[in-house]
Amino acid sequence: MADFDFDDAVRWGRFDPQRTLARRSDAELPFISEEPQAGSEVLLDTCVYIDSLQGRAPEALLALLDIRKANHSTVAIQELMHTVGVLDPKHPQTKTAIRQIRTVLRAMRPHRVFAPDADLLGRAALLSGMLCRLQGYDRDARLRALQDCVLFLQASKLGLTLVTGNVKDFDYLLQLIPSGRVLFYRKSG
């Protein structure tokens, strides 16, 4: 595999604190301000799309998305399509949900959609493995951790700021890799 160097990735992973991480207070974390300002382009975590579709996106998040260029990851596309797959076809709201997800995906401009490369995927797998071990994640949380790590490292590699409502898991990632750029928000209502 030409794009992935195992030994380099293992050397990169030496930031392992070998202890469980504690969730920091909100005051110590970078949250979207009530009056967002222009800044770097953003990469959206899947929860941004879901919270927006469900009317739970706070006004500050919507205002931020109005003034910053938004970029998308194939990881978010994958997670949204997984949602389409797990929806019960017999449920009365399924068709509406699928239409909404279709609209979101079709609105993504192709030049703003990015796929992770082999090196990024390898490092994200190493990082998520460390995170799962340190935090004692169960089997259900491991795949989510892998996807989160891909998004986190992808944003960093692209020079973007990741926007997410997943405060707990991305706080841990920022503790492991403080150079990452994340903006958090809390869901409305």
Side-chain angles (χ1 to χ4, degrees):
M1 200 177 335
D3 291 353
F4 180 69
D5 182 331
F6 177 86
D7 295 329
D8 187 50
V10 171
R11 278 190 301 277
W12 171 81
R14 291 209 174 132
F15 52 80
D16 184 347
Q18 300 180 7
R19 63 175 169 73
T20 302
L21 302 170
R23 166 74 168 81
R24 296 178 290 182
S25 72
D26 284 1
E28 298 176 77
L29 299 173
F31 275 83
I32 296 171
S33 67
E34 288 303 312
E35 294 184 27
Q37 298 179 0
S40 67
E41 293 182 19
V42 296
L43 183 68
L44 305 181
D45 188 359
T46 310
C47 61
V48 174
Y49 306 102
I50 293 168
D51 291 339
S52 296
L53 289 172
Q54 295 179 343
R56 298 183 312 203
E59 287 300 319
L61 172 60
L62 299 175
L64 178 84
L65 296 177
D66 279 343
I67 60 174
R68 294 207 193 176
K69 288 184 180 173
N71 296 280
H72 315 280
S73 174
T74 55
V75 170
I77 293 170
Q78 182 182 38
E79 290 180 330
L80 289 168
M81 289 306 295
H82 175 80
T83 299
V84 170
V86 299
L87 289 171
D88 179 359
K90 296 175 185 169
H91 191 279
Q93 296 300 317
T94 294
K95 285 184 181 179
T96 301
I98 290 172
R99 265 194 312 274
Q100 290 175 325
I101 292 170
R102 178 189 299 120
T103 299
V104 165
L105 293 175
R106 285 183 173 169
M108 292 178 181
R109 304 228 186 263
H111 68 282
R112 295 253 172 237
V113 176
F114 297 94
D117 61 25
D119 181 62
L120 192 143
L121 291 171
R123 289 172 192 262
L126 177 65
L127 179 60
S128 73
M130 290 169 35
L131 185 63
C132 289
R133 176 178 41 81
L134 293 170
Q135 300 308 112
Y137 285 178
D138 62 20
R139 286 189 178 265
D140 292 340
R142 291 178 184 171
L143 179 58
R144 190 188 74 232
L146 176 59
Q147 302 291 56
D148 290 346
C149 289
V150 172
L151 285 169
F152 181 80
L153 294 178
Q154 188 177 31
S156 291
K157 185 171 187 168
L158 296 170
L160 305 172
T161 299
L162 182 71
V163 177
T164 184
N166 180 353
V167 179
K168 182 179 92 172
D169 294 320
F170 284 96
D171 174 24
Y172 297 150
L173 290 173
L174 279 174
Q175 288 179 56
L176 291 171
I177 305 177
S179 61
R181 294 190 330 222
V182 176
L183 276 176
F184 296 109
Y185 69 89
R186 293 268 183 223
K187 295 177 194 175
S188 299

mmCIF file of all heavy atoms in Angstrom, residues 49-57 100 187:
data_model
loop_
_atom_site.group_PDB
_atom_site.id
_atom_site.type_symbol
_atom_site.label_atom_id
_atom_site.label_comp_id
_atom_site.label_asym_id
_atom_site.label_seq_id
_atom_site.Cartn_x
_atom_site.Cartn_y
_atom_site.Cartn_z
ATOM 1 N N TYR A 49 -26.077 17.572 10.085
ATOM 2 C CA TYR A 49 -27.145 17.341 9.114
ATOM 3 C C TYR A 49 -28.409 16.841 9.819
ATOM 4 O O TYR A 49 -29.512 17.320 9.556
ATOM 5 C CB TYR A 49 -26.720 16.302 8.063
ATOM 6 C CG TYR A 49 -25.430 16.617 7.365
ATOM 7 C CD1 TYR A 49 -24.256 15.956 7.722
ATOM 8 C CD2 TYR A 49 -25.369 17.559 6.349
ATOM 9 C CE1 TYR A 49 -23.063 16.227 7.079
ATOM 10 C CE2 TYR A 49 -24.176 17.837 5.697
ATOM 11 C CZ TYR A 49 -23.026 17.165 6.073
ATOM 12 O OH TYR A 49 -21.845 17.446 5.439
ATOM 13 N N ILE A 50 -28.223 15.886 10.723
ATOM 14 C CA ILE A 50 -29.370 15.291 11.413
ATOM 15 C C ILE A 50 -30.062 16.316 12.295
ATOM 16 O O ILE A 50 -31.295 16.439 12.269
ATOM 17 C CB ILE A 50 -28.918 14.054 12.217
ATOM 18 C CG1 ILE A 50 -28.469 12.954 11.240
ATOM 19 C CG2 ILE A 50 -30.036 13.553 13.131
ATOM 20 C CD1 ILE A 50 -27.744 11.802 11.883
ATOM 21 N N ASP A 51 -29.298 17.073 13.066
ATOM 22 C CA ASP A 51 -29.899 18.088 13.941
ATOM 23 C C ASP A 51 -30.611 19.158 13.121
ATOM 24 O O ASP A 51 -31.673 19.647 13.510
ATOM 25 C CB ASP A 51 -28.845 18.718 14.860
ATOM 26 C CG ASP A 51 -28.341 17.732 15.915
ATOM 27 O OD1 ASP A 51 -29.048 16.738 16.190
ATOM 28 O OD2 ASP A 51 -27.240 17.955 16.445
ATOM 29 N N SER A 52 -30.042 19.509 11.971
ATOM 30 C CA SER A 52 -30.697 20.495 11.100
ATOM 31 C C SER A 52 -32.013 19.952 10.553
ATOM 32 O O SER A 52 -33.028 20.643 10.563
ATOM 33 C CB SER A 52 -29.771 20.886 9.945
ATOM 34 O OG SER A 52 -28.622 21.536 10.432
ATOM 35 N N LEU A 53 -32.007 18.702 10.109
ATOM 36 C CA LEU A 53 -33.222 18.097 9.564
ATOM 37 C C LEU A 53 -34.316 17.940 10.623
ATOM 38 O O LEU A 53 -35.499 18.037 10.314
ATOM 39 C CB LEU A 53 -32.908 16.726 8.950
ATOM 40 C CG LEU A 53 -32.122 16.734 7.650
ATOM 41 C CD1 LEU A 53 -31.711 15.317 7.255
ATOM 42 C CD2 LEU A 53 -32.919 17.392 6.535
ATOM 43 N N GLN A 54 -33.900 17.712 11.859
ATOM 44 C CA GLN A 54 -34.866 17.484 12.925
ATOM 45 C C GLN A 54 -35.234 18.760 13.685
ATOM 46 O O GLN A 54 -35.925 18.700 14.691
ATOM 47 C CB GLN A 54 -34.347 16.416 13.895
ATOM 48 C CG GLN A 54 -34.224 15.061 13.228
ATOM 49 C CD GLN A 54 -33.679 13.982 14.149
ATOM 50 O OE1 GLN A 54 -33.095 14.255 15.187
ATOM 51 N NE2 GLN A 54 -33.860 12.732 13.758
ATOM 52 N N GLY A 55 -34.766 19.918 13.198
ATOM 53 C CA GLY A 55 -35.101 21.188 13.840
ATOM 54 C C GLY A 55 -34.428 21.399 15.179
ATOM 55 O O GLY A 55 -34.883 22.218 15.982
ATOM 56 N N ARG A 56 -33.328 20.698 15.429
ATOM 57 C CA ARG A 56 -32.619 20.826 16.711
ATOM 58 C C ARG A 56 -31.318 21.611 16.596
ATOM 59 O O ARG A 56 -30.564 21.713 17.553
ATOM 60 C CB ARG A 56 -32.316 19.439 17.274
ATOM 61 C CG ARG A 56 -33.558 18.630 17.563
ATOM 62 C CD ARG A 56 -33.223 17.295 18.179
ATOM 63 N NE ARG A 56 -32.164 16.620 17.450
ATOM 64 C CZ ARG A 56 -31.953 15.315 17.470
ATOM 65 N NH1 ARG A 56 -32.729 14.537 18.172
ATOM 66 N NH2 ARG A 56 -30.969 14.776 16.789
ATOM 67 N N ALA A 57 -31.054 22.178 15.419
ATOM 68 C CA ALA A 57 -29.831 22.974 15.241
ATOM 69 C C ALA A 57 -30.032 24.339 15.883
ATOM 70 O O ALA A 57 -31.008 25.025 15.585
ATOM 71 C CB ALA A 57 -29.521 23.128 13.759
ATOM 72 N N GLN A 100 -35.796 13.962 2.846
ATOM 73 C CA GLN A 100 -34.964 15.003 3.448
ATOM 74 C C GLN A 100 -33.482 14.676 3.287
ATOM 75 O O GLN A 100 -32.677 15.554 2.956
ATOM 76 C CB GLN A 100 -35.312 15.174 4.928
ATOM 77 C CG GLN A 100 -36.662 15.790 5.168
ATOM 78 C CD GLN A 100 -37.008 15.820 6.646
ATOM 79 O OE1 GLN A 100 -36.660 14.934 7.424
ATOM 80 N NE2 GLN A 100 -37.708 16.882 7.051
ATOM 81 N N LYS A 187 -27.490 21.058 21.044
ATOM 82 C CA LYS A 187 -28.768 20.976 20.336
ATOM 83 C C LYS A 187 -29.796 21.904 20.973
ATOM 84 O O LYS A 187 -29.779 22.114 22.187
ATOM 85 C CB LYS A 187 -29.326 19.564 20.390
ATOM 86 C CG LYS A 187 -28.505 18.550 19.670
ATOM 87 C CD LYS A 187 -29.119 17.179 19.859
ATOM 88 C CE LYS A 187 -28.126 16.110 19.445
ATOM 89 N NZ LYS A 187 -28.628 14.772 19.712
#
